[in-house]
Amino acid sequence: AAEDAAKKKADEEKAKQDKATVLDELDKFSEDWTAPAQEVLDPYGYFYTSPEYGQFDLIEGEFTKKSGYNKSAYGFVFGYSQPDAKGYLKDYIRFEINTDGEYALYTWDGKNYKDLVEDNNKGTAYFYEDSSIKSGYNTKNKLKIQADDETKTYSVYINDKLIKDNIPYLKNGTHGVMGFFSVGKKNQENMPDTPVVVSYKITDAVLHSAD
């Protein structure tokens, strides 16, 4: 019993140290994103990602949109298979919100979108209102992704409210995660006068365990 208690305490201490290390490392992903300037390249209609965060069983981030088209979303893209040599994602799961207090959750298989909230046969995804989202600019919302290797599913949360569980892993998917923000079409954004600016900060994380 004494040995079990000592092992449990050692495991708990290691978990605390691992978490501290992870959060310290992820602190470099706490910054503002600004959409590319209009004179640099055509920035419209794309989404831009952070660097690859790594392999996680849990990750939570706090997001704030400061300016830009109200329907252009931001959040996490995750669960994808290995990117190609140029970093292109051929598949992913995307979990996002916008300033109108809406969220979307869907997969992309390289050809079609699949809405994970309400299935449809149109090969697209939609936004849904949810009272847990703080709408408006300069508000802070936390998005969280929890992986479960036993069931091979994800659960996603907004401000600690469970939004969806039992989201299947993608075939050949990894535990990779990136933050992202979207930029609207040319008739939706007002760049360069009003750039798209989204602030983000990682607030919690647990490294993926292959055991």
Side-chain angles (χ1 to χ4, degrees):
E3 291 181 0
D4 290 343
K7 184 178 184 304
K8 182 179 179 181
K9 185 175 181 180
D11 289 343
E12 290 175 348
E13 287 299 319
K14 184 178 185 303
K16 289 181 181 179
Q17 292 175 2
D18 287 346
K19 189 167 187 177
T21 300
V22 168
L23 293 177
D24 184 58
E25 178 68 15
L26 290 178
D27 189 54
K28 65 186 178 184
F29 297 122
S30 302
E31 55 188 59
D32 286 348
W33 290 320
T34 302
Q38 189 173 8
E39 61 270 22
V40 176
L41 58 90
D42 180 1
Y44 300 104
Y46 294 95
F47 76 92
Y48 299 87
T49 68
S50 72
E52 161 69 57
Y53 290 148
Q55 303 292 300
F56 293 93
D57 287 334
L58 179 149
I59 191 162
E60 179 186 74
E62 182 180 88
F63 294 82
T64 302
K65 185 162 185 174
K66 299 182 177 181
S67 60
Y69 177 50
N70 58 302
K71 291 291 186 181
S72 290
Y74 47 97
F76 285 122
V77 57
F78 64 100
Y80 38 79
S81 54
Q82 289 290 344
D84 65 18
K86 294 183 179 180
Y88 176 75
L89 296 178
K90 62 183 179 181
D91 55 16
Y92 54 77
I93 306 171
R94 197 157 127 172
F95 182 38
E96 61 188 33
I97 60 174
N98 62 30
T99 59
D100 283 350
E102 302 169 322
Y103 78 95
L105 175 65
Y106 53 91
T107 63
W108 167 252
D109 65 5
K111 295 181 180 179
N112 297 296
Y113 294 103
K114 180 180 179 182
D115 195 316
L116 297 176
V117 182
E118 295 182 8
D119 198 14
N120 63 72
N121 59 4
K122 297 181 180 180
T124 190
Y126 298 95
F127 280 111
Y128 301 88
E129 292 183 356
D130 195 278
S131 60
S132 66
I133 304 171
K134 300 173 185 176
S135 61
Y137 294 92
N138 299 308
T139 58
K140 296 179 180 180
N141 288 279
K142 287 186 178 181
L143 306 185
K144 182 170 71 175
I145 303 164
Q146 174 78 61
D148 186 335
D149 262 1
E150 289 189 8
T151 60
K152 297 189 181 306
T153 62
Y154 294 104
S155 299
V156 296
Y157 302 77
I158 298 176
N159 295 323
D160 296 320
K161 176 185 175 181
L162 175 64
I163 298 299
K164 178 78 173 179
D165 58 6
N166 295 315
I167 302 166
Y169 286 2
L170 297 181
K171 184 179 180 181
N172 301 318
T174 68
H175 285 67
V177 187
M178 291 186 285
F180 82 92
F181 72 94
S182 295
V183 175
K185 297 178 181 178
K186 194 169 184 177
N187 65 343
Q188 296 169 333
E189 301 288 0
N190 185 34
M191 292 190 288
D193 293 339
T194 306
V196 179
V197 180
V198 177
S199 174
Y200 68 107
K201 179 180 181 180
I202 301 302
T203 54
D204 199 5
V206 175
L207 282 170
H208 171 60
S209 174
D211 298 336

